[in-house]
Structure formats: C-alpha cells, structure tokens
Amino acid sequence: MSNGDKAADLWVFGYGSLIWRPGFAFEESVAARLHGYHRSLCVFSHVHRGTPERPGLVLGLDRGGVCRGLAFRVAASQAEETVAYLRAREQATSVYLERHVSLRLDDRRQVRGLVYVADRKHLQYAGKLPPAELLKLVRQGRGQSG
C-alpha cells in the first residue's frame, strides 16, 4: 500500500460536511471507500446540532460496512496545520477517535488516510436508536451549525 503521490503528504477521508466544506487546502480529491465503517446517526450533538440539555443527532462513522466519500491529499507542508484545524473542528467534545486507516480510491490507489470515527465509550455515543427516537432528535437539533 502506498501513501499516494508523496510519502509525506496527508490523506484525509471526508464523508459528510468535509465533502462540501473541507475548510483546508488540498492538492487533489478522489472518490474513495472506507471499509469497516458506515455512516450512522449515532452521535448525540451537544454543539453543532444541539446542546447538552437538548441534544440533536448527527452522523458519525460507526463500525461495520462501507462508507463512500472523498479522500483529500494535503501537501506535506500543510499537514500539521490541517490536522490542527480538523482536531478543532471535529473534536469539540472529543466524541470522535482520530484514526489512520486504509482507503481505496476509485482510481485504484490504496492509501492511508486520517478519519474521525465515533467513540463507542463516549457519553455522546447514541448507538442504534429506535426510528421514532432518531426522528425526534433530528427534528429538535439546533446548534452552532444550524
């Protein structure tokens, strides 16, 4: 497995808002698949879509399945700054674990990429909720991001 075009470059996997609003400079983006995780409404949101008193529910990456998204290649010179930005953005309440995982790019390359996955031990991990509870939490979700 290679790390893409340059060994020192950073790859970042995006599956939600990182696709349409990455917020960092990148050299290329390629459609990609992350095996072993799937998108799931499994995270109680206390910041972006809710508050601790009135949580919303947001998508996180949970174990099992496959997730399609985009892989962004960040120049080595921007890697440290990009990771700092992503930690501030994704780790507001430390509900995600930072991982370096294997990504399969649609152009057939395989690279190691940075991704944030739901921490099943965190108090904000919602797990698999009944449909009525999912709907209630999504509808009541109001926070910094809407």
Side-chain angles (χ1 to χ4, degrees):
M1 175 173 23
S2 76
N3 194 41
D5 298 341
K6 295 182 182 179
D9 286 350
L10 170 71
W11 285 91
V12 176
F13 182 74
Y15 64 94
S17 64
L18 283 177
I19 289 176
W20 61 85
R21 188 177 49 86
F24 54 87
F26 55 91
E27 301 300 310
E28 70 175 307
S29 65
V30 182
R33 289 182 313 273
L34 170 60
H35 290 263
Y37 294 93
H38 68 284
R39 289 173 56 145
S40 175
L41 285 168
C42 66
V43 175
F44 292 117
S45 178
H46 293 173
V47 176
H48 290 283
R49 300 275 187 242
T51 65
E53 301 76 31
R54 191 173 168 89
L57 198 63
V58 294
L59 289 165
L61 288 177
D62 207 357
R63 285 186 255 164
V66 178
C67 181
R68 292 192 53 77
L70 287 180
F72 299 93
R73 183 173 59 85
V74 176
S77 62
Q78 298 294 310
E80 190 175 315
E81 178 182 324
T82 299
V83 171
Y85 164 77
L86 289 169
R87 286 177 178 159
R89 174 178 169 159
E90 301 297 323
Q91 294 290 59
T93 62
S94 301
V95 69
Y96 297 109
L97 300 171
E98 188 175 280
R99 296 286 185 250
H100 291 271
V101 298
S102 176
L103 301 173
R104 293 185 188 169
L105 308 185
D106 280 7
D107 64 12
R108 300 191 184 261
R109 286 180 287 172
Q110 192 164 351
V111 299
R112 301 274 311 157
L114 175 65
V115 67
Y116 291 88
V117 301
D119 180 355
R120 288 181 160 207
K121 295 177 183 171
H122 196 279
L123 291 174
Q124 286 176 249
Y125 178 71
K128 188 170 174 64
L129 298 171
E133 183 70 9
L134 285 173
L135 184 59
K136 174 187 168 246
L137 289 164
V138 169
R139 282 185 170 163
Q140 80 180 19
R142 299 282 186 278
Q144 283 182 7
S145 298

